[in-house]
């Protein structure tokens, strides 16, 4: 058995999901709403895949109306972004309830949901990029989503429980984003792209040394606040929780942290490629870069491909800006390579799990023994 192995099959048969959501908003507002929503869905409906498709449509709208994510799309696009993200959040929350409703909960369903959520980071980052008109910084908004996601998965590996704190990304984070989309429907995307003192006039009354003559788009302030207020505290919490488990087992924290190296290498490789890029790929092709890296993030095995575009960019530096291979071609190959590898992984693992557990994918009826 290719990816899972005999030991993995036995573990799958014993596996039970364990999760805690401490969000007050989820407990008292969203959970009752989701519990009512699940009764509206037909039993045969593939809720997880349908919910994921909403974000694909949202990213596609961003590409059609703002190819470089630095021009304002029509305002109805922001309304669509907000509604599609709300639907994604609802479907993502309801799929587990649907599985329990149909007595079809399984590790396969959880893995499929988790895989879609990993890719969702990239597609929603692209939708947000078109709303904020943040251009090349869209990649870093993807990083802001991907870092907590990866570290939460890393923590889950050690603790066997997915814990969502009082304020968390899947609940309050997504709510803030779709409220921002809906707000932009009223103001226009230019509100985020202009100097923050124009968008928020009360800041112009406050003396701000060192930046008084510098124009800083509001989306830059948003990115900084997300990093300082959400990403950094999450990283500290994840590392602290893993440390407790590792120390209780007399394990090595260095080995635990080494599991983060592939992700760090992915981020570093893409940033180096961008810094050396003769065609400024992050500005001119943000969709291809984020989608390719998003699928790479879902797999984290295709890091070796990044060696080729980095070497190509280095050649351009010493060859009067002329690369050996056109960067757009390399970027298309990067996307095709990472998407192909991810789909191969997904299809292979789905087949292995359904055969091991005697179940079908996208069907409720259990196989006969």
């Amino acid at each position: 058995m290719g990816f899972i192995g005999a030991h993995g099959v036995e573990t799958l048969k014993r596996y039970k999901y364990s999760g805690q959501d401490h969000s007050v908003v989820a407990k008292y507002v969203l959970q009752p709403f989701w519990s009512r929503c699940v009764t509206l869905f037909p039993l045969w409906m593939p809720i997880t895949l349908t919910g994921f498709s909403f974000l694909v449509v949202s990213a596609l709208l961003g590409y059609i109306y703002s190819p470089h994510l630095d021009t304002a799309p029509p305002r109805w696009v922001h309304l669509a972004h907000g509604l599609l993200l709300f639907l994604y959040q609802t479907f993502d929350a309801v799929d587990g309830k649907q599985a329990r409703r149909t007595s079809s909960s399984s590790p396969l369903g959880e893995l499929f949901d988790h895989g879609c959520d990993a890719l969702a980071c990239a597609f929603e980052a692209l939708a947000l990029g078109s709303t904020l008109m943040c251009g090349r910084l869209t990649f870093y908004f993807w990083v802001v989503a991907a870092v907590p996601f990866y570290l939460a998965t890393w923590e889950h590996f050690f603790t066997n429980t997915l814990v969502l704190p009082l304020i968390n990304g899947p609940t309050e984070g997504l709510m803030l984003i779709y409220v921002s989309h809906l707000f932009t429907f009223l103001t226009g995307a230019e509100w985020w792209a202009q100097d923050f003192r124009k968008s928020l006039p009360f800041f112009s009354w406050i003396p701000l040394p060192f930046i008084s003559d510098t124009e800083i788009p509001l989306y830059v302030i948003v990115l900084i606040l997300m990093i300082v207020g959400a990403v950094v505290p999450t990283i500290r919490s994840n590392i602290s929780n893993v440390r407790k488990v590792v120390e209780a087992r007399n394990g090595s924290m260095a080995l635990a942290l080494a599991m983060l190296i592939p992700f760090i290498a992915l981020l570093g490789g893409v940033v180096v490629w961008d810094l050396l890029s003769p065609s400024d790929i992050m500005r001119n092709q943000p969709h291809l870069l984020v989608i390719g890296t998003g699928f790479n993030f879902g797999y984290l095995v295709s890091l070796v491909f990044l060696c080729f575009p980095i070497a190509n960019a280095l050649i351009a530096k010493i060859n009067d800006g002329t690369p050996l291979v056109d960067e757009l071609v390399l970027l298309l190959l990067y996307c095709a390579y990472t998407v192909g590898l991810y789909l191969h992984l997904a299809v292979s693992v789905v087949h292995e799990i359904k055969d091991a557990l005697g179940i079908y994918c996208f069907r409720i009826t259990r196989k006969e023994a």
Side-chain angles (χ1 to χ4, degrees):
M1 194 167 282
F3 288 96
I4 298 176
H7 174 72
V9 170
E10 293 305 314
T11 304
L12 277 173
K13 293 177 179 178
R14 299 192 304 268
Y15 177 80
K16 289 186 178 180
Y17 173 74
S18 175
Q20 300 174 13
D21 187 350
H22 297 293
S23 168
V24 175
V25 174
K27 182 177 181 180
Y28 293 106
V29 179
L30 295 178
Q31 286 292 353
F33 170 70
W34 294 332
S35 296
R36 291 176 183 174
C37 280
V38 72
T39 61
L40 304 176
F41 292 97
L43 298 178
W44 51 263
M45 186 175 184
I47 293 178
T48 304
L49 190 61
T50 305
F52 175 68
S53 68
F54 292 137
L55 292 189
V56 176
V57 172
S58 189
L60 183 61
L61 285 174
Y63 175 73
I64 293 172
Y65 291 101
S66 183
H68 295 161
L69 302 175
D70 57 2
T71 54
R75 291 198 182 189
W76 67 264
V77 172
H78 308 302
L79 178 62
H81 285 329
L83 294 176
L84 289 168
L85 181 58
F86 171 75
L87 288 172
Y88 163 76
Q89 184 192 46
T90 301
F91 278 54
D92 187 48
V94 162
D95 59 4
K97 297 180 184 295
Q98 176 84 329
R100 290 187 289 274
R101 179 187 176 206
T102 57
S103 301
S104 59
S105 297
S106 71
L108 175 58
E110 183 183 346
L111 181 67
F112 194 88
D113 178 77
H114 202 68
C116 288
D117 289 343
L119 299 180
C121 294
F123 288 100
E124 178 50 33
L126 293 171
L128 184 62
S130 73
T131 285
L132 303 183
M133 277 179 58
C134 56
R136 64 190 341 274
L137 286 189
T138 300
F139 173 78
Y140 295 99
F141 279 97
W142 170 79
V143 173
V144 164
V147 168
F149 185 92
Y150 190 85
L151 266 72
T153 306
W154 174 66
E155 179 186 326
H156 188 198
F157 177 82
F158 289 93
T159 63
N160 296 319
T161 301
L162 182 62
V163 179
L164 298 177
L166 189 66
I167 298 176
N168 60 72
T171 304
E172 289 80 8
L174 292 185
M175 289 180 71
L176 282 173
I177 294 174
Y178 60 67
V179 166
S180 297
H181 286 309
L182 298 176
F183 175 76
T184 310
F185 170 65
L186 302 175
T187 65
E190 296 87 353
W191 191 80
W192 300 97
Q194 65 187 2
D195 184 73
F196 73 100
R197 282 157 292 210
K198 294 180 181 177
S199 301
L200 303 170
F202 59 87
F203 277 110
S204 61
W205 309 333
I206 304 172
L208 298 171
F210 308 113
I211 63 169
S212 57
D213 298 325
T214 305
E215 186 167 308
I216 302 175
L218 180 59
Y219 62 72
V220 173
I221 304 298
V222 171
L223 180 61
I224 293 171
L225 289 176
M226 291 175 74
I227 293 171
V228 175
V231 177
V232 172
T234 299
I235 292 174
R236 292 178 59 186
S237 175
N238 294 140
I239 293 176
S240 174
N241 293 337
V242 169
R243 184 186 299 277
K244 292 175 184 176
V245 174
V246 169
E247 290 177 351
R249 298 175 182 173
N250 294 319
S252 169
M253 191 60 189
L255 290 178
L257 290 171
M259 296 173 66
L260 304 178
I261 291 176
F263 181 48
I264 296 171
L266 171 64
L267 299 183
V270 174
V271 170
V272 169
W273 181 10
D274 173 61
L275 291 174
L276 297 174
S277 171
S279 62
D280 197 357
I281 54 167
M282 204 172 281
R283 178 185 179 279
N284 293 315
Q285 302 294 340
H287 285 86
L288 288 176
L289 186 66
V290 172
I291 288 174
T293 306
F295 275 89
N296 203 343
F297 170 67
Y299 197 177
L300 279 182
V301 174
S302 47
L303 295 175
V304 66
F305 188 93
L306 284 173
C307 298
F308 298 107
I310 291 174
N312 190 59
L314 280 171
I315 290 173
K317 287 291 183 183
I318 59 177
N319 195 30
D320 297 326
T322 304
L324 194 63
V325 180
D326 185 86
E327 279 204 305
L328 179 58
V329 173
L330 275 179
L331 198 51
L332 288 169
L333 288 174
Y334 175 60
C335 282
Y337 181 67
T338 55
V339 170
L341 277 179
Y342 186 86
L343 292 178
H344 169 68
L345 168 71
V347 172
S348 300
V349 171
V350 165
H351 278 287
E352 290 178 22
I353 293 179
K354 73 180 185 63
D355 290 341
L357 299 181
I359 58 177
Y360 288 103
C361 185
F362 301 129
R363 286 178 62 183
I364 302 300
T365 307
R366 182 173 291 273
K367 285 183 179 180
E368 295 181 2

